[in-house]
Amino acid sequence: MPDTIVTGGEIPDNANEHCPGPESEDAGKADGCAGCPNQEICASQASGPDPDLPIIAERLSFVKHKILVLSGKGGVGKSTFTSQLAFALATDSSTEVGVVDVDVCGPSIPKIMGCEREQVHPAGVGWSPVFVQDNLGVMSIAFMLPDEESAVIWRGPKKNGMIKQFLRDVDWSSTADNGTLDYLLFDTPPGTSDEHLSVVQLLRESGITGAVIVTTPQEVALQDVRKEIDFCHKAKVPIIGVVENMSGFVCPGCKGESKIFYPTTGGAQKMCKDLGIPLLGSIPLDPSIGRACDFGSSFLDTCPESPAAKAYLDIITKIKQIVEP
């Protein structure tokens, strides 16, 4: 396995002395590539700079903050957190927000945000996102499927091509009434594979504000989240912080808290301390969150007095303070 992720034209730190560069036609094939830990991945990439990168950079030039929501583990609540973050940011009518559902094979953002039966429509300068409200737009492959149960059975290149279209061909300016899209959030699938590499590579020229990494307290989740953190370091993606989801269950009657997923190795708090990254906060379990997602509504609006809602708001306030110092 290479020690560095090849994400663009830069020569990796661990490359051979006579590396021709990852965008050279000889990448991975030249004599100087023999024995390099990056040889296989360089040889598998298309040679030469991607001509679409400047187009994407221009298309997204008016976006202030591009935030990835990541986690190496599935089922920890990435999509739930992305949707509630988007809803919360959009409560300010002067803030323009967009959400890109990068989970090509398991798109759930349209369901969670109450727009699953919508379709994408072509606009004069590209696809128009689906609007949840005037200042909140969404783009997902789910809008292009014949029905909700249709499977997307694609290999990496087709998934990567779809993500490129989301960035190159979607007219996000239609979301920005004030000429600026304040936040563009990317909901990603589990892991550190095709979709993640594609987003990082395609946003290389326009820049990534940072990543919010979601975990749950138990070690089986944390071990994969550590891999995601390692991915961010290798791909040079700034880490905004970690959110510990499902950190406990607060009884609505007695208000006592129970640990459903026990933090046998210290949970996100110890992991963040060990790795030197910010812990943004912990969100307790609340059945109302699941109901809000099923009905496509904002949990923060429907249950504002819930301890989970207050935890969400504290975390979102910290994110805004970090990206808008």
Side-chain angles (χ1 to χ4, degrees):
M1 288 289 289
D3 294 325
T4 301
I5 296 174
V6 181
T7 59
E10 298 179 5
I11 295 178
D13 295 335
N14 64 339
N16 288 356
E17 182 179 0
H18 300 292
C19 173
E23 291 185 348
S24 166
E25 292 184 0
D26 296 325
K29 305 168 189 173
D31 292 342
C33 299
C36 177
N38 306 299
Q39 183 176 14
E40 183 178 351
I41 190 170
C42 284
S44 67
Q45 294 188 142
S47 61
D50 188 336
D52 286 322
L53 291 185
I55 298 173
I56 292 171
E58 175 63 25
R59 176 73 91 172
L60 301 180
S61 61
F62 62 95
V63 180
K64 289 177 65 178
H65 305 296
K66 294 178 282 292
I67 298 176
L68 311 183
V69 180
L70 304 171
S71 177
K73 195 69 175 175
V76 299
K78 291 183 303 299
S79 298
T80 299
F81 182 81
T82 303
S83 65
Q84 300 309 312
L85 174 60
F87 278 131
L89 293 171
T91 54
D92 181 350
S93 60
S94 66
T95 300
E96 309 292 338
V97 183
V99 179
V100 183
D101 189 353
V102 183
D103 195 344
V104 176
C105 293
S108 56
I109 283 292
K111 175 68 176 178
I112 293 174
M113 300 192 72
C115 54
E116 73 271 28
R117 300 187 187 280
E118 300 293 336
Q119 293 182 330
V120 173
H121 299 287
V125 289
W127 294 342
S128 177
V130 170
F131 287 92
V132 178
Q133 54 195 57
D134 289 344
N135 63 332
L136 177 55
V138 175
M139 178 53 65
S140 172
I141 194 175
F143 301 137
M144 307 173 193
L145 301 178
D147 57 66
E148 297 175 16
E149 298 181 358
S150 295
V152 179
I153 308 172
W154 287 357
R155 294 187 186 275
K158 287 202 72 174
K159 291 192 287 186
N160 298 345
M162 186 82 265
I163 294 168
K164 178 181 282 190
Q165 283 190 275
F166 286 166
L167 300 178
R168 184 193 62 203
D169 298 340
V170 175
D171 180 22
W172 289 104
S173 66
S174 61
T175 312
D177 289 341
N178 60 8
T180 299
L181 186 65
D182 297 285
Y183 294 92
L184 188 58
L185 311 179
F186 293 83
D187 182 51
T188 66
T192 55
S193 191
D194 292 314
E195 295 90 340
H196 310 78
L197 282 170
S198 292
V199 170
V200 171
Q201 289 170 346
L202 293 170
L203 293 179
R204 178 163 54 93
E205 290 195 13
S206 61
I208 299 172
T209 305
V212 175
I213 301 175
V214 182
T215 187
T216 46
Q218 74 276 33
E219 178 59 25
V220 71
L222 293 169
Q223 65 180 0
D224 287 339
V225 170
R226 293 188 190 97
K227 296 181 179 71
E228 197 76 48
I229 292 169
D230 186 48
F231 167 85
C232 289
H233 291 324
K234 289 177 178 176
K236 300 180 181 178
V237 176
I239 297 175
I240 296 171
V242 172
V243 173
E244 185 178 72
N245 202 17
M246 310 182 203
S247 63
F249 173 71
V250 179
C251 174
C254 70
K255 306 301 181 183
E257 183 173 346
S258 301
K259 298 293 184 184
I260 306 298
F261 301 108
Y262 198 79
T264 55
T265 57
Q269 184 173 18
K270 185 175 187 303
M271 179 190 72
C272 289
K273 182 179 179 181
D274 291 345
L275 299 178
I277 55 179
L279 175 63
L280 297 172
S282 300
I283 303 171
L285 281 164
D286 188 325
S288 299
I289 298 175
R291 286 197 294 270
C293 290
D294 281 350
F295 288 105
S297 59
S298 168
F299 165 71
L300 305 178
D301 288 342
T302 56
C303 302
E305 299 303 317
S306 165
K310 294 175 182 178
Y312 262 113
L313 292 174
D314 287 344
I315 290 168
I316 292 165
T317 297
K318 289 180 182 178
I319 293 173
K320 293 173 70 174
Q321 290 172 342
I322 291 170
V323 302
E324 297 181 3

